Amino acid sequence: MSWNEPGGDKKDPWSGRNEKDNPPDLDEVIRSLQDKLGGIFGGGKRGDSSNGPSMQSIGFLAAGALALWGLSGFYTVDEGTRGIVTRFGAYVATTQPGLNWHIPAPIEQVQVINVEQQRFIEVGYRSGGGQAMGSVPKEAMMLTRDENIVDVRLAVQYQVKDAKDYAFNVLDPASTLKQVTESVERGVIGRSDMDFVLTEGRSEIVAAIKTEIQSVMDAYKTGILITSVNLQDAQPPEQVQGSFEDAIKAREDKQRLINEAEAYSNDVVPKARGAASRIVQESEAYKEKVIAQANGDVSRFSQLLTEYKKAPAVTKQRMYIEAMEQVLGKSNNVLVDVKSGGSIMYLPLEKLVNKVADDAAPAPTPVHEPVAAPAPQVKETRNDIRASSRERDVRGR
């Protein structure tokens, strides 16, 4: 039963007085607490000076407290992180992964920074749950060199390369990087045409943005390394999207027609050049042939003239014989001279003429278009033969 409940002894547990008689004295309560604490530390009552707290106990307690305070300075730096040690807020050292020690707080403090974590910022858009949440016009709308507006969405990945610079040189590294990225991006896009940004210039623009961002961040000594810059999207504003698509289709049709025309030209022009070259070569060949024949005729005529001057009669006779040979060589008529003397020759003239005609006859024509071959005509002048025989007989007599 407590002292203040009905039926209790009415004794104050601090002062030992009866509550009914007098209220508790505050000084006595304090002295009672001091006596009990003195008993814990090995002393007696407060009034007994010979039984006060011993210096040895106080030393043990102080040493224990100091040991605990010193042990609190041990800390572990994980792999991929660095520890930044500060003494009263000033930089002291950068600790590597493993077990380390520093003067415990409040003298020194440690800030652990992850230097291998891949961080990223988004410029021109915001994402959530892995899906794009749409454009941020204030950041995405940019003016090109040809005075067109383009909607550009960019993502920059980075990591910490110097923990000391990252912790002390910039108040908010992520915000600084975002502002630098937006500024550099506007500068690079402003130096490029819209078609270049939307088509073949993406890789070149990304490389230029990454280089300039890294240069500015190094100048600021932010301790940030840009690992990659990704151009998520680049397109015209939504208000002119339809017109821009029509322009793209027209440009594609134009390019298609140009390609078809070039293909046709590549097919026709070589053929025409080949035909022209063939005609030129044939002309050159004909020219060389005519010149060669003319030179041959001139040379033959010159040689013939020389021989003619030596023996005109013989040359005339020979020329006459050669001319008659050429003329009569193609004739089907057979002439027999019986006046020159000798006996009459009996030869199968019809067979000889037929053989010559067969050799000179053209190739057979198709059956449905028959062509009659000309029959050789043999003229035999029997009277001339008989007259020649008689003349020989007269001469013989």
Side-chain angles (χ1 to χ4, degrees), residues 142-152 188-205 231 234-237 240 243-252 254-255:
M142 300 187 182
L143 187 65
T144 61
R145 183 173 61 181
D146 52 355
E147 298 182 356
N148 287 315
I149 297 177
V150 63
D151 187 338
V152 181
V188 174
I189 298 297
R191 297 193 300 266
S192 306
D193 294 334
M194 183 176 185
D195 292 339
F196 183 75
V197 175
L198 300 180
T199 55
E200 73 274 7
R202 288 176 175 249
S203 58
E204 184 176 344
I205 289 174
L231 186 60
Q235 59 184 359
V240 296
S243 301
F244 186 78
E245 291 178 357
D246 293 339
I248 291 178
K249 291 180 180 178
R251 189 182 300 111
E252 292 176 352
K254 174 186 176 181
Q255 189 63 37

Side-chain angles (χ1 to χ4, degrees), residues 277-293:
S277 178
R278 178 176 56 82
I279 293 174
V280 171
Q281 291 177 0
E282 290 178 354
S283 301
E284 294 291 338
Y286 177 74
K287 172 185 175 181
E288 297 295 333
K289 176 183 177 182
V290 171
I291 293 174
Q293 288 180 352

Side-chain angles (χ1 to χ4, degrees), residues 57 59 77 98 116 191 231 265-266 277-278 289 303 307 309 324 334-335 347-348 387 390:
S57 298
V77 178
E116 293 185 356
R191 297 193 300 266
L231 186 60
S265 174
N266 294 334
S277 178
R278 178 176 56 82
K289 176 183 177 182
Q303 295 175 3
E307 297 298 329
K309 290 180 179 180
M324 295 304 294
V334 179
L335 301 178
L347 298 173
R390 290 173 183 174

Side-chain angles (χ1 to χ4, degrees), residues 22-58:
N22 294 312
D25 189 0
L26 183 59
D27 294 336
E28 292 181 0
V29 172
I30 294 174
R31 283 195 297 271
S32 176
L33 289 175
Q34 289 177 350
D35 293 341
K36 291 181 179 181
L37 291 175
I40 295 175
F41 290 107
K45 294 183 180 180
R46 183 177 177 83
D48 190 0
S49 59
S50 62
N51 295 328
S54 65
M55 296 299 296
Q56 184 178 5
S57 298
I58 295 174

Side-chain angles (χ1 to χ4, degrees), residues 12 15 17-26 28:
D12 185 354
S15 62
R17 296 182 178 180
N18 192 337
E19 183 181 3
K20 184 176 180 181
D21 297 335
N22 294 312
D25 189 0
L26 183 59
E28 292 181 0

Side-chain angles (χ1 to χ4, degrees), residues 3 39 100-101 121 199 212 217 232 375:
W3 62 274
N100 299 274
W101 182 85
I121 61 171
T199 55
E212 293 190 20
M217 299 307 288
Q232 300 293 339

Side-chain angles (χ1 to χ4, degrees), residues 4 41 55 64-66 77 83 112 122 152 189 196 208 224-225 229 251-252 262-263 293 299 318 364-365 371-372 377:
N4 58 353
F41 290 107
M55 296 299 296
L66 184 62
V77 178
V112 178
E122 300 168 339
V152 181
I189 298 297
F196 183 75
I224 289 177
L225 175 64
V229 176
R251 189 182 300 111
E252 292 176 352
E262 290 179 352
Q293 288 180 352
S299 177
R318 183 170 62 82
T365 56
V371 177
Q377 297 180 0

Side-chain angles (χ1 to χ4, degrees), residues 211-266:
T211 302
E212 293 190 20
I213 291 175
Q214 188 64 64
S215 177
V216 174
M217 299 307 288
D218 290 342
Y220 289 167
K221 296 182 180 180
T222 59
I224 289 177
L225 175 64
I226 306 300
T227 57
S228 67
V229 176
N230 300 319
L231 186 60
Q232 300 293 339
D233 194 10
Q235 59 184 359
E238 297 180 359
Q239 294 82 353
V240 296
Q241 189 70 33
S243 301
F244 186 78
E245 291 178 357
D246 293 339
I248 291 178
K249 291 180 180 178
R251 189 182 300 111
E252 292 176 352
D253 292 340
K254 174 186 176 181
Q255 189 63 37
R256 177 178 56 82
L257 294 176
I258 291 174
N259 294 336
E260 292 177 356
E262 290 179 352
Y264 178 75
S265 174
N266 294 334

